[in-house]
Amino acid sequence: RVEDLLGDRGYQEAVTYSFVEPGLQRLVEPDVEPLALKNPISAELAVMRTSLWPGLLDAAIKNANRQQTRIRLFESGLRFVPSHDGLSQSKAIAWLAMGPVHAEQWAEKARMLDFYDIKADVEALVSLTGRVDELRFAAAGHPALHPGQSARIYLGGRAPHHAQGRV
């Protein structure tokens, strides 16, 4: 149902490689050392992703380079995080939105996305669990996001275990 809801809200599903470019991975999670592949397909796909963000960011960059100004992408997939027991695989969902709120049309005044538009998407997803009253946002920093323009998401007083819970 989560994927259907994101589709209903205008997002397109992206399917990206589990292998990502090391530099982009480092920008997203500088404190996590990803698993390097011994025989990568290419230098751009040389480490296992520890987050879904690098693939979505790469897809967004490629779309923007092709003059797409309104981008809404989501992906559900595995992240591969090194741990003391080896490589931990966990399911995750992430989404990315940029550009105008609405596709170009005569009935809506052009307006760029803001924090509250993305917050509404988070609230819509959490409403599927029936726990939207336990949802809270708090200012927080992240190395891949603009200083002072991100928030950590709390559900039931707990923050997620991974940086994916960011707006």
Side-chain angles (χ1 to χ4, degrees), residues 11-91:
Y11 288 83
Q12 300 290 316
E13 184 172 16
V15 179
T16 66
Y17 288 109
S18 296
F19 320 119
V20 296
E21 197 272 318
L24 189 53
Q25 177 64 48
R26 225 178 350 273
L27 288 173
V28 171
E29 292 188 309
D31 298 333
V32 178
E33 187 63 38
L35 176 67
L37 300 173
K38 290 183 181 178
N39 190 16
I41 297 170
S42 70
E44 290 82 28
L45 302 172
V47 298
M48 298 295 291
R49 67 183 179 196
T50 62
S51 165
L52 299 182
W53 286 10
L56 289 176
L57 289 169
D58 183 56
I61 290 166
K62 288 175 178 168
N63 275 275
N65 287 342
R66 288 166 180 81
Q67 285 77 47
Q68 297 299 310
T69 57
R70 184 176 187 274
I71 300 170
R72 306 282 183 285
L73 300 171
F74 80 90
E75 182 172 17
S76 62
L78 293 175
R79 345 183 260 117
F80 305 89
V81 182
S83 70
H84 63 279
D85 296 330
L87 193 64
S88 168
Q89 297 182 41
S90 60
K91 291 181 182 179

Side-chain angles (χ1 to χ4, degrees), residues 101-152:
V101 173
H102 303 288
E104 189 173 339
Q105 58 175 303
W106 65 271
E108 293 285 340
K109 185 176 179 182
R111 180 176 69 81
M112 297 303 275
L113 271 169
D114 64 20
F115 171 83
Y116 297 100
D117 296 310
I118 304 303
K119 182 178 180 236
D121 291 336
V122 173
E123 290 169 340
L125 285 175
V126 173
S127 71
L128 293 174
T129 68
R131 298 177 60 192
V132 75
D133 57 325
E134 298 176 43
L135 186 62
R136 187 173 63 83
F137 298 84
H142 185 280
L145 301 175
H146 193 283
Q149 294 187 8
S150 63
R152 180 171 286 279

